[in-house]
Amino acid sequence: MTHIHSRAVALSLVLPLLLLAGMVGKAEHALRGGVVIRVPITGYDPRDPLRGHFLGYRIVWNWLGGQPPAETAALCVTSRASNPPVRPLPLLGDPSCLLMVRLAPGPYRSFMPVGISDELFIPEERADSLQSALRSGGAAMTIDLAVSKDGTARLVTWHIDGRTIAEWDSRAAH
């Protein structure tokens, strides 16, 4: 009985680690296997006293022909340039589309890709300087998205004025 019990305990300890390793591997594969695009974002106050320091944002897509209707389910990225032009992608797809980005459904339409959160974690020591930059309106913010073949996206990194948050903060401190 104790032999079976010790195996069950060992399995209950190892299984979560294996699941976590699988999730990390899947995310890493998505980042490496995806096409990276850089898109501008706009944000708001990075302080939320209930959840810590997060920057809520939305992507400022470079729409071809204006913003599409709310029921748009996917976007066609037409180039690999920074801030690439995008247009709605028909349900049946489009073989001429360079890259498809699937959009997350929801009660409101923010045109966020599947796999992406609309919040970025802000290290506490950088929250004040970032908040000042956002309030002044002088900070240009972008994110790099790795978009996989199935149209899902993962956040690679984010930038302020073309620099990562660490580079931006170290320069702002000087």
Side-chain angles (χ1 to χ4, degrees):
M1 182 82 164
T2 59
H3 183 65
I4 293 173
H5 184 283
S6 61
R7 279 190 177 185
V9 169
L11 184 60
S12 69
L13 294 174
V14 171
L15 189 59
L17 293 175
L18 291 174
L19 290 173
L20 180 61
M23 290 171 33
V24 168
K26 182 179 177 184
E28 186 65 25
H29 177 68
L31 286 176
R32 290 186 183 188
V35 175
V36 177
I37 59 172
R38 182 168 292 179
V39 293
I41 62 172
T42 186
Y44 51 89
D45 193 354
R47 295 188 177 259
D48 182 340
L50 299 177
R51 295 182 298 144
H53 299 278
F54 288 88
L55 171 69
Y57 72 94
R58 66 180 177 83
I59 296 174
V60 183
W61 293 107
N62 183 5
W63 300 113
L64 284 173
Q67 185 171 321
E71 62 273 3
T72 301
L75 299 178
C76 172
V77 178
T78 62
S79 84
R80 290 190 181 194
S82 187
N83 192 17
V86 297
R87 60 179 168 76
L89 188 63
L91 290 176
L92 300 176
D94 181 350
S96 69
C97 186
L98 177 68
L99 181 65
M100 173 191 65
V101 177
R102 288 187 323 162
L103 299 175
Y108 62 93
R109 185 47 107 185
S110 62
F111 299 102
M112 289 300 285
V114 170
I116 299 294
S117 168
D118 62 354
E119 295 179 321
L120 299 170
F121 172 73
I122 307 293
E124 186 173 351
E125 64 274 5
R126 294 185 179 98
D128 289 335
S129 58
L130 181 58
Q131 186 174 18
S132 296
L134 290 174
R135 285 192 176 152
S136 73
M141 300 184 68
T142 58
I143 56 174
D144 286 352
L145 301 175
V147 182
S148 64
K149 290 179 183 177
D150 69 357
T152 60
R154 297 285 180 259
L155 180 70
V156 176
T157 189
W158 57 289
H159 305 90
I160 302 170
D161 296 330
R163 295 182 301 276
T164 64
I165 180 96
E167 294 167 340
W168 176 82
D169 191 51
S170 68
R171 185 169 181 206
H174 295 274

